[in-house]
Structures are given as structure tokens and as C-alpha cells.
């Protein structure tokens, strides 16, 4: 028994067309489209596939409308109303792309769109749309539409069925110019409809206005009425006929080896170069650079608002789903589009602020050296000898080093600077404050020892002063040693405190130990201020307590302002605040304590005599 199976697909593969439409939309980034299909099984199957597949690929639908298949039916008026509503929906929608997945007979109704607006109660302005047609919809016209404008579908995109030019096909058509003399033949009916004429015995018009001669030329017909070249649909019919012929030949010829006919059809776009400047079809304008998308409640995911990126983040692509932060070493530009590399910064000797602070430090170091030289030169005078001359020298040397220690704070931080600067600052200032405390206590004890029978006289002398200075300094040295042992400062790169800078700094290691150092200095300052304040009314001849009181007031004021200012600043300006506080407090001590004495020593030497001081005391 002879069994064979012949299969030939006359119409385009539906799934391939759907995938082709999807690729076309994605290629041109048309994500907001309208869909028109027929209200039949083909249309329903198309919608089932499209709604799922297109949504997965980011395509949204502005509208989905169904057209009735029976155009010329008894309910034509009702169907026309439905069509006009669909037309109004298309023309008033925001989407610029319409996918029309229908069969060929719908093209007749679609051609009416160019003049349909006059039938609407509310005139709808016709807008240019990008139409996408499947392969089964050809640009054909019924005879009454032959002279109608086709502007509305100019620029439409259509999938084409592959075809070939057949040898002798045009000669065959040319030979049909002689009409077959058979009454009511198909050729006669076609001829009358195509050329708008009538044969003498035609039943179409009993009194024709135009007679058919049979000599009319098919070349004169518009392509939409009759196309001389082989169309895709005609080629499919041609192949189908040949497939049947080959099948019959194989069945009737025993020695003929039948072969299954298989042809793969490729869907190709018509002249894609025309679409190099395609119109957009989006629910809303794309989000610009520096903005991210935010969903609108109740709207499809293709419809969204654009939100400015928060501070510190960028969006370097249009329609970004989210903004992302720059790396730690970078910061966003003004428009939040790109990340700019941060520049490294520190309190440098080369910048104006560093130059000013360094100059001031050297100036006061020079003044301290001059004052120390004056006191050494006049070391045998009563003013220098009063209130413990050795403490005065130690205090001046401590102030000199306090001015010089700020050089550890300026310049690029390194391991040595970070280890030494806070410890050196704390120890040097503790030595200076302990000298002031020792001088103040000696003043008080000296006047108490002048009373008859006082036992305090044995405490007045260098031994007590040395004990006060060494013990107070030792406490601060111990605190700093513990700090360096358990959590020493180290060089660090601060990438977060400043938006556009990476700050090279010294991390203090243990902030608690840093404030303990400041706290002990504050304790010495408070004791010195209290003792000096109580001794401020003792005789001026031997008493510098009132100058110490004022110097301690200046010192306290500077460091009380330092703490909130230091905590409120960032980057290299934190270092500048501490350097300024060191300079201001040390300069306050130098000026308040030693300026009056230098004035007498240098400018009023006649007052710096023992006789004058005794006379003034009496």
C-alpha cells in the first residue's frame, strides 16, 4: 500500500510573525503601542500570545480593540459605529504605533479611514501613525476605492511573504488583454470591475456609460487594484498548485521517487532603511540622565514618573530603573550623570591657610626666644628673680615648643607625625600649665610665710616648684603613654566626611584618650585660675597673680570654644581649628604674663631696682 504525506503551508507562520513584530518593536524601542485585531479565533489566539510575550519583553498596550470580520453584513451601520469609535481611540491615543493583526478583507474598511472623520459628531484630527501589518494583509483596493487617497497608510510596515519572479508570468498577463468570449466568465467580471467599463451584454449595467473594448491595458491599473508582479500570496498559491501536481504525479508514477516538499519562509521588512529616523511611541518621555523611574499606581509598568536621583547617587543612562552611588573615591557631578574622582587634600604648607598658620607660629617662636633672651640677660634683676626664676625659664621654653609643635599638624600626615603631634601638644602644654600653677602657689605661700610663727616658710623654695612641675608633667606623660600603647593614632584617608575630597588625616585612635588629655589640661587650668584669682590682690611688687588670672581666662576661653568648633568642622579645617587654638592659647599666656615684665625690664629699667620695689612695697 502506498502511503505518503504531503504538507504545504500556504499562509505565513503565525508564531514567526508575532516574534517578528516583537523584534521590530524592541529594535525601535516602541514600548507603548495600540493593538487592533479581529474578533475571531485568530484574533483571540494572537491576543493570548501577545499579552504574555510582549509584556515580558517590556511592551505595554495603550489600547486593545477588536474589529468584526463581517464587514458587509446586515448590521453594517452598527459595525461602522464600532469602527468609528475604534478610529477615534486610535487618533486620540498617545501611542504612535498601531499593530493591526487582521485578515486581508479588513483592508477595505481600513482604507476608509482617510475620510472617516466627517462622520464623527466630534471631529477628530487625523494623526500620523506607524502601522504594522501582518503578511496576510495586502494593499488591495476594491474598484470603488481605486481613486481613494492612501496617505493614511504611507510609511506603514508590513511583513512580506517571500516570492520569486516566475518566467513567462508577465507574458501570461499581457496575453489576457484579449477577453475570453464567454458570457459571465470570471475574466469579464474582473475586467469590468477593474477598468470601470461594461460589455454590451453585461448584467451589471443595463445602460452602461463606458463600454469595454477588451483592449484596455493591465499596466494602466494601480498596484492596489491589480499588481502585475508575483505577490507573496499568489506565489503561495502557485507553490500549492505545484505541490498538488507533484503529489499526483508521484502517486500515478510507480518508479518516481516522491520527495516531500518543504520550504522555509523568511519574513523580511520592506526597505528598513526608510526607518532610520523613526518616531517614538512611549507612554511618557524617557527619564533623562540623572533621573530614575518611579511607578505610577494604577498605570501599566510602561507609564512612570521621573524622580531626581538623591544626593550622592547618579543615573548615567536614560530610563534608569534606579540610581546608584559613586565609588568611595568619587562623587557625582552637578547633573548627577557621571562620577568625578575626588581630590586628596590636607592642611598643606603651600596653601594660604597653612602659610599663615606657619608664619604665625614662627613669629611667636621668635618672640618667645627674644623674651627668654631678655630674661637671661637680666636674670639678676628683682623682677626676673621674683616668683622663681627657674620656673620662668621652663615656662618660656615650654611656650617656645608649643609654638613649634604645630609643625607636626601641618603637611601630609605620616606615621611619625600622627604618633607625636597630640602627645607632644598635651605634654608641652601640661608642663607650661604646671609651671604657672607652681608660680601661683609659690606667690600665695610666700605671703603666708611672712606672718610671724608661720610654719609654711619651709615649703617656699625651688623644691616645691620642681615637685609641682614634675608631678603634673608625669601624670600627662603617663596618660599619653597609655594612649600610644593601647590605641595609637595612625594616618588615615577620610572618604566620607567631605563630598568632593578625600581628606588625609591622622585618626586619633582612641577619641576617649584624646579628650582625657584635654581634660587633664583643663583641670590644671582650672586650679591655676582659681589660685591666681584668690591671690590677685596681693601687693603688686612681688605679685604676678593678676596677670596669671587674666592669662588663664584667655586660655580657658580659647579651649572652651575649641570643643564645639572642632566637632562642627570637617576635613583639614578640623586640624586648622586645633592649630589656631594652640597658637591663640600659647600667645595668650606669653602676652599676658611676660609683656608687662618685658615692658619694665626694657623700657622702665629704673623701676627694676630693689630699692624701688621695697619703697613701693612700703
Amino acid at each position: 500500500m502506498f502511503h505518503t504525506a504531503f504538507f504545504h503551508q500556504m499562509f505565513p507562520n503565525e508564531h514567526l510573525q508575532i516574534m517578528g513584530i516583537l523584534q521590530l518593536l524592541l529594535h525601535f524601542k516602541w514600548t507603548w503601542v495600540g493593538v487592533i485585531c479581529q474578533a475571531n479565533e485568530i484574533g483571540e489566539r494572537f491576543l493570548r500570545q501577545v499579552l504574555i510575550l510582549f509584556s515580558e519583553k517590556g511592551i505595554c498596550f495603550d489600547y486593545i480593540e477588536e474589529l468584526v470580520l463581517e464587514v458587509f453584513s446586515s448590521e453594517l451601520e452598527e459595525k461602522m459605529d464600532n469602527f468609528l469609535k475604534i478610529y477615534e481611540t486610535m487618533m486620540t491615543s498617545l501611542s504612535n504605533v498601531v499593530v493591526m493583526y487582521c485578515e486581508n478583507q479588513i483592508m477595505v474598511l481600513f482604507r476608509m479611514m482617510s475620510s472617516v472623520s466627517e462622520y464623527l459628531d466630534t471631529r477628530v484630527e487625523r494623526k500620523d501613525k506607524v502601522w504594522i501589518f501582518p503578511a496576510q494583509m495586502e494593499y488591495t483596493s476594491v474598484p470603488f476605492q481605486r481613486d481613494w487617497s492612501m496617505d493614511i497608510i504611507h510609511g506603514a510596515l508590513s511583513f512580506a511573504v517571500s516570492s520569486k519572479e516566475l518566467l513567462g508570468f508577465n507574458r501570461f498577463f499581457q496575453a489576457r488583454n484579449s477577453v475570453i468570449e464567454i458570457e459571465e466568465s470570471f475574466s469579464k467580471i474582473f475586467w469590468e470591475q477593474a477598468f470601470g467599463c461594461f460589455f454590451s451584454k453585461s448584467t451589471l449595467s443595463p445602460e452602461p456609460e463606458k463600454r469595454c473594448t477588451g483592449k484596455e491595458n493591465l499596466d494602466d491599473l494601480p498596484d492596489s487594484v491589480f499588481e502585475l508582479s508575483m505577490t507573496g500570496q499568489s506565489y503561495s498559491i502557485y507553490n500549492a498548485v505545484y505541490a498538488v501536481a507533484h503529489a499526483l504525479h508521484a502517486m500515478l508514477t510507480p518508479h518516481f521517487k516522491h520527495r516531500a516538499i518543504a520550504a522555509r519562509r523568511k519574513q523580511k521588512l520592506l526597505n528598513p532603511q526608510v526607518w532610520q529616523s523613526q518616531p517614538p511611541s512611549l507612554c511618557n518621555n524617557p527619564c533623562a540622565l540623572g533621573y530614575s523611574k518611579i511607578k505610577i499606581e494604577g498605570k501599566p509598568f510602561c507609564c512612570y514618573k521621573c524622580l531626581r536621583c538623591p544626593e550622592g547617587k547618579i543615573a548615567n543612562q536614560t530610563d534608569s530603573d534606579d540610581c546608584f552611588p559613586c565609588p568611595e573615591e568619587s562623587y557625582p557631578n552637578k547633573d548627577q550623570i557621571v562620577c568625578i574622582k575626588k581630590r586628596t587634600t590636607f592642611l598643606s604648607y603651600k596653601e594660604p591657610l597653612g602659610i599663615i598658620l606657619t608664619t604665625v607660629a614662627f613669629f611667636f617662636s621668635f618672640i618667645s626666644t627674644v623674651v627668654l633672651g631678655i630674661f637671661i640677660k637680666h636674670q639678676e634683676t628683682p623682677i626676673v628673680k621674683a616668683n622663681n626664676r627657674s620656673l620662668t625659664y621652663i615656662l618660656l621654653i615650654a611656650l617656645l615648643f608649643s609654638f613649634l609643635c604645630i609643625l607636626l599638624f601641618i603637611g601630609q600626615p605620616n606615621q611619625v607625625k600622627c604618633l607625636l603631634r597630640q602627645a607632644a601638644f598635651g605634654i608641652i602644654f601640661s608642663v607650661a600649665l604646671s609651671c604657672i600653677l607652681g608660680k601661683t602657689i609659690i606667690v600665695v605661700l610666700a605671703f603666708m610665710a611672712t606672718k610671724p610663727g608661720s610654719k609654711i616658710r619651709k615649703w617656699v623654695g625651688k623644691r616645691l616648684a620642681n615637685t609641682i612641675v614634675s608631678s603634673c608633667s608625669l601624670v600627662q606623660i603617663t596618660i599619653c603613654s597609655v594612649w600610644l600603647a593601647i590605641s595609637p593614632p595612625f594616618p588615615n584617608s577620610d572618604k566620607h566626611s567631605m563630598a568632593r575630597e578625600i581628606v588625609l588625616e591622622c585618626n586619633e585612635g582612641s577619641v576617649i584618650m584624646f579628650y582625657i588629655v584635654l581634660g587633664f589640661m583643663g583641670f590644671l587650668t582650672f586650679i591655676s585660675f582659681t589660685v591666681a584669682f584668690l591671690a590677685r590682690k596681693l601687693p603688686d611688687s612681688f605679685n604676678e597673680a593678676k596677670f596669671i588670672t587674666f592669662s588663664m581666662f584667655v586660655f580657658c576661653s580659647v579651649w572652651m570654644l575649641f570643643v564645639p568648633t572642632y566637632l562642627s568642622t570637617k576635613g583639614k579645617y578640623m586640624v586648622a581649628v586645633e592649630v589656631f587654638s594652640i597658637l591663640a592659647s600659647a600667645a595668650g599666656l606669653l602676652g599676658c604674663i611676660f609683656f608687662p615684665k618685658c615692658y619694665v625690664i626694657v623700657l622702665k629699667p629704673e623701676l627694676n631696682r630693689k630699692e624701688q620695689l621695697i619703697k613701693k612695697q612700703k
Side-chain angles (χ1 to χ4, degrees):
M1 184 177 227
F2 185 77
H3 293 282
T4 184
F6 292 97
F7 172 76
H8 177 75
Q9 184 169 325
M10 291 183 60
F11 297 99
N13 186 291
E14 187 173 350
H15 178 70
L16 291 180
Q17 287 204 87
I18 292 175
M19 296 304 298
I21 293 172
L22 176 60
Q23 292 180 24
L24 179 68
L25 296 176
L26 295 176
H27 176 75
F28 290 118
K29 299 181 180 179
W30 289 328
T31 60
W32 187 240
V33 301
V35 174
I36 306 294
C37 63
Q38 287 184 204
N40 57 9
E41 183 181 351
I42 295 176
E44 292 176 0
R45 185 168 59 248
F46 172 75
L47 287 181
R48 283 198 302 269
Q49 296 185 56
V50 163
L51 290 176
I52 298 175
L53 184 60
F54 282 30
S55 297
E56 290 177 351
K57 299 299 183 178
I59 308 296
C60 294
F61 305 102
D62 190 358
Y63 55 87
I64 299 176
E65 299 287 349
E66 291 184 316
L67 276 172
V68 292
L69 181 63
E70 298 82 5
V71 177
F72 302 104
S73 66
S74 58
E75 301 176 354
L76 179 59
E77 184 177 353
E78 179 182 346
K79 291 178 171 60
M80 283 299 297
D81 290 339
N82 172 258
F83 176 74
L84 295 178
K85 290 180 180 178
I86 293 175
Y87 174 78
E88 185 174 1
T89 299
M90 290 189 293
M91 292 303 152
T92 56
S93 67
L94 295 176
S95 60
N96 292 325
V97 175
V98 183
V99 178
M100 182 165 282
Y101 199 88
C102 301
E103 296 179 16
N104 198 38
Q105 56 264 51
I106 293 298
M107 184 61 74
V108 176
L109 192 58
F110 183 69
R111 289 284 308 279
M112 298 180 183
M113 284 187 177
S114 59
S115 57
V116 77
S117 60
E118 64 185 65
Y119 298 103
L120 298 177
D121 295 334
T122 303
R123 297 298 177 92
V124 178
E125 181 184 359
R126 199 185 86 182
K127 298 179 181 177
D128 292 331
K129 302 286 182 178
V130 176
W131 307 97
I132 299 178
F133 296 140
Q136 59 267 27
M137 290 185 68
E138 293 185 337
Y139 301 108
T140 57
S141 301
V142 292
F144 72 86
Q145 292 179 324
R146 70 161 70 211
D147 298 324
W148 286 22
S149 172
M150 296 184 69
D151 290 346
I152 193 169
I153 57 175
H154 279 178
L157 295 175
S158 176
F159 288 82
V161 179
S162 61
S163 64
K164 292 182 179 180
E165 287 296 329
L166 301 179
L167 295 176
F169 185 71
N170 284 338
R171 289 197 303 272
F172 168 77
F173 271 125
Q174 296 296 334
R176 303 309 297 168
N177 277 351
S178 298
V179 180
I180 302 174
E181 296 294 336
I182 300 176
E183 291 186 2
E184 307 302 332
S185 68
F186 172 78
S187 297
K188 278 189 174 182
I189 297 173
F190 163 76
W191 207 269
E192 290 177 337
Q193 290 182 348
F195 290 102
C197 62
F198 303 94
F199 290 98
S200 58
K201 297 180 181 181
S202 174
T203 58
L204 295 178
S205 177
E207 297 180 0
E209 298 180 0
K210 183 180 179 182
R211 296 286 182 177
C212 295
T213 63
K215 301 299 181 180
E216 289 82 5
N217 196 335
L218 292 174
D219 289 334
D220 296 334
L221 293 176
D223 288 344
S224 62
V225 176
F226 186 79
E227 193 169 349
L228 287 175
S229 61
M230 176 67 73
T231 65
Q233 304 294 0
S234 299
Y235 189 66
S236 294
I237 296 173
Y238 168 83
N239 283 334
V241 171
Y242 265 80
V244 173
H246 279 282
L248 292 174
H249 185 267
M251 292 175 63
L252 298 174
T253 306
H255 302 291
F256 181 80
K257 293 184 178 181
H258 63 277
R259 293 174 295 178
I261 301 175
R264 295 184 180 181
R265 304 290 188 248
K266 294 184 179 180
Q267 315 299 330
K268 297 182 180 180
L269 289 175
L270 291 176
N271 194 12
Q273 295 179 352
V274 176
W275 295 96
Q276 289 180 353
S277 57
Q278 75 281 0
S281 185
L282 306 170
C283 181
N284 47 263
N285 292 329
C287 290
L289 301 177
Y291 291 82
S292 64
K293 297 190 293 188
I294 180 171
K295 189 179 184 302
I296 301 176
E297 293 297 330
K299 293 281 188 177
F301 63 86
C302 291
C303 302
Y304 47 84
K305 294 188 295 185
C306 298
L307 185 66
R308 185 74 178 181
C309 288
E311 186 177 355
K313 293 187 176 183
I314 68 165
N316 58 2
Q317 294 181 345
T318 57
D319 266 353
S320 294
D321 292 324
D322 197 8
C323 303
F324 59 90
C326 289
E328 289 184 341
E329 297 80 10
S330 305
Y331 68 93
N333 67 336
K334 182 181 178 181
D335 297 325
Q336 295 179 274
I337 297 176
V338 297
C339 293
I340 302 174
K341 188 173 180 61
K342 293 181 178 180
R343 62 185 183 91
T344 57
T345 181
F346 54 89
L347 187 59
S348 171
Y349 291 109
K350 298 179 181 180
E351 62 180 296
L353 182 59
I355 293 173
I356 292 173
L357 293 175
T358 305
T359 303
V360 172
F362 280 120
F363 172 75
F364 280 111
S365 300
F366 174 74
I367 297 298
S368 301
T369 304
V370 171
V371 172
L372 179 59
I374 292 174
F375 270 66
I376 293 175
K377 182 178 180 181
H378 300 85
Q379 58 181 328
E380 298 301 328
T381 60
I383 289 182
V384 176
K385 295 173 65 175
N387 299 321
N388 199 316
R389 180 172 52 190
S390 60
L391 287 183
T392 300
Y393 295 158
I394 296 175
L395 176 58
L396 283 170
I397 294 172
L399 291 177
L400 172 62
F401 280 108
S402 67
F403 290 124
L404 294 176
C405 80
I406 72 149
L407 300 179
L408 297 173
F409 291 82
I410 303 175
Q412 183 171 348
N414 54 45
Q415 190 65 46
V416 175
K417 285 185 176 181
C418 291
L419 284 173
L420 293 180
R421 68 183 192 180
Q422 297 293 3
F425 152 68
I427 293 172
I428 290 170
F429 264 78
S430 295
V431 172
L433 291 172
S434 61
C435 288
I436 294 174
L437 177 61
K439 290 168 69 68
T440 309
I441 291 176
I442 288 175
V443 170
V444 174
L445 294 179
F447 279 91
M448 292 178 66
T450 58
K451 296 180 180 180
S454 175
K455 298 180 180 180
I456 301 178
R457 186 183 299 273
K458 63 181 179 179
W459 293 99
V460 179
K462 293 182 179 180
R463 185 177 181 182
L464 176 61
N466 294 336
T467 302
I468 294 173
V469 173
S470 58
S471 59
C472 292
S473 301
L474 185 60
V475 171
Q476 189 69 290
I477 291 173
T478 303
I479 295 173
C480 292
S481 300
V482 172
W483 182 8
L484 297 179
I486 62 174
S487 183
F490 57 90
N492 184 46
S493 297
D494 183 3
K495 302 175 182 178
H496 304 288
S497 61
M498 302 295 287
R500 302 184 177 185
E501 298 175 352
I502 298 177
V503 181
L504 302 182
E505 62 176 9
C506 287
N507 188 301
E508 306 304 348
S510 173
V511 178
I512 295 176
M513 295 302 297
F514 173 66
Y515 284 106
I516 289 176
V517 169
L518 293 181
F520 182 71
M521 289 168 51
F523 171 75
L524 292 179
T525 304
F526 175 75
I527 298 297
S528 300
F529 176 77
T530 302
V531 176
F533 180 79
L534 295 176
R536 71 189 186 283
K537 294 186 179 180
L538 294 177
D540 289 338
S541 301
F542 298 92
N543 184 18
E544 58 181 352
K546 64 179 180 179
F547 302 123
I548 294 177
T549 302
F550 186 69
S551 66
M552 288 295 99
F553 177 78
V554 173
F555 190 90
C556 290
S557 300
V558 170
W559 289 101
M560 287 179 66
L561 290 173
F562 162 77
V563 175
T565 307
Y566 182 81
L567 295 176
S568 62
T569 53
K570 296 179 180 180
K572 64 182 180 181
Y573 297 104
M574 294 180 70
V575 180
V577 167
E578 186 172 359
V579 170
F580 176 80
S581 300
I582 293 172
L583 291 175
S585 56
L589 296 179
L590 180 65
C592 294
I593 295 176
F594 294 100
F595 180 76
K597 293 185 176 183
C598 289
Y599 175 78
V600 173
I601 294 173
V602 177
L603 300 179
K604 300 288 184 179
E606 66 275 7
L607 299 179
N608 191 16
R609 292 184 301 179
K610 187 174 181 180
E611 297 81 8
Q612 185 67 24
L613 294 176
I614 295 175
K615 180 179 179 182
K616 191 172 183 180
Q617 181 183 7
K618 291 182 179 181

